[in-house]
Amino acid sequence: TAAIWFKVDSQDNDSRRKGAILWERTDIRGVGKMHFMVNGSTGDDGDAGIGNGAGITIDESANVGIGTTAPSEKLQLTETTHGANVSLRFLGENDSGTLKEGNLRLDPDSEALFLTARSGTNPDLFVKSDGNVGIGTDNPTTGGAASSPKLHVNGAVRIDGNVAIAPGSSTPYISGGSVSTIFRNNANDASLITILNNGNPTFAGNV
């Protein structure tokens, strides 16, 4: 390992190398990882280094790790504090010069992912570990038959297009048009129920 350490004398005159840039060779051919390390401890517990500090690592495949020295993806964020969330924060100024933010957060206890397109903690999009999705709610559940829906929307929904209730050729199908909404057994069947824009229904069969 080759390294550049940054040292500043503290108030008690102990020299502490709390920052470092390190090159770690991982192969006999000279390839390796670049580490940018910081030891944030206030104690005199040694130099910043691999295993003695937190920072950023760029590995042989150009994967970047924050909080880990062994990233497995192009960008990996790791938090090793028990129960702590892992967050990615986005900040930018709008046309009026006001700083706005968005957040992507993982809660390891509930194995849930939160997306918030503004400041605050209430999620705009929530994905549970079972694959259920909430929009406008972080608890995508309802009573009755839909006690664990795949999608729970807390608010009005607009759909510009047709809706297939389930995959396959013999499943309920809803299509919308400029003058009516039509219900069929499947996408290719004749209309069973047509509801006109004025609210009047027509039925293809006995009622």
Side-chain angles (χ1 to χ4, degrees), residues 34-55:
M34 181 70 77
H35 306 278
F36 300 84
M37 309 303 294
V38 174
N39 185 337
S41 170
T42 58
D44 189 12
D45 53 358
D47 300 328
I50 305 168
N52 189 23

Side-chain angles (χ1 to χ4, degrees), residues 42-144:
T42 58
D44 189 12
D45 53 358
D47 300 328
I50 305 168
N52 189 23
I56 301 172
T57 292
I58 305 173
D59 72 4
E60 309 91 323
S61 302
N63 292 338
V64 177
I66 300 177
T68 177
T69 58
S72 59
E73 304 294 340
K74 284 302 178 185
L75 177 61
Q76 178 178 333
L77 281 67
T78 300
E79 174 58 71
T80 57
T81 302
H82 292 177
N85 294 338
V86 184
S87 298
L88 185 61
R89 186 182 187 192
F90 304 89
L91 291 171
E93 289 189 2
N94 62 15
D95 291 339
S96 301
T98 303
L99 196 64
K100 299 295 183 179
E101 70 174 280
N103 296 275
L104 183 63
R105 174 166 52 95
L106 171 68
D107 182 344
D109 289 322
S110 61
E111 297 182 273
L113 193 64
F114 300 79
L115 175 63
T116 306
R118 51 190 160 71
S119 60
T121 58
N122 295 327
D124 297 308
L125 179 66
F126 174 84
V127 183
K128 295 181 66 176
S129 58
D130 56 9
N132 292 350
V133 176
I135 299 177
T137 176
D138 60 1
N139 186 27
T141 58
T142 60

Side-chain angles (χ1 to χ4, degrees), residues 168-190:
S169 59
S170 299
T171 56
Y173 189 85
I174 305 171
S175 61
S178 59
V179 296
S180 63
T181 300
I182 300 172
F183 297 80
R184 300 181 173 94
N185 275 334
N186 61 62
N188 300 315
D189 268 3

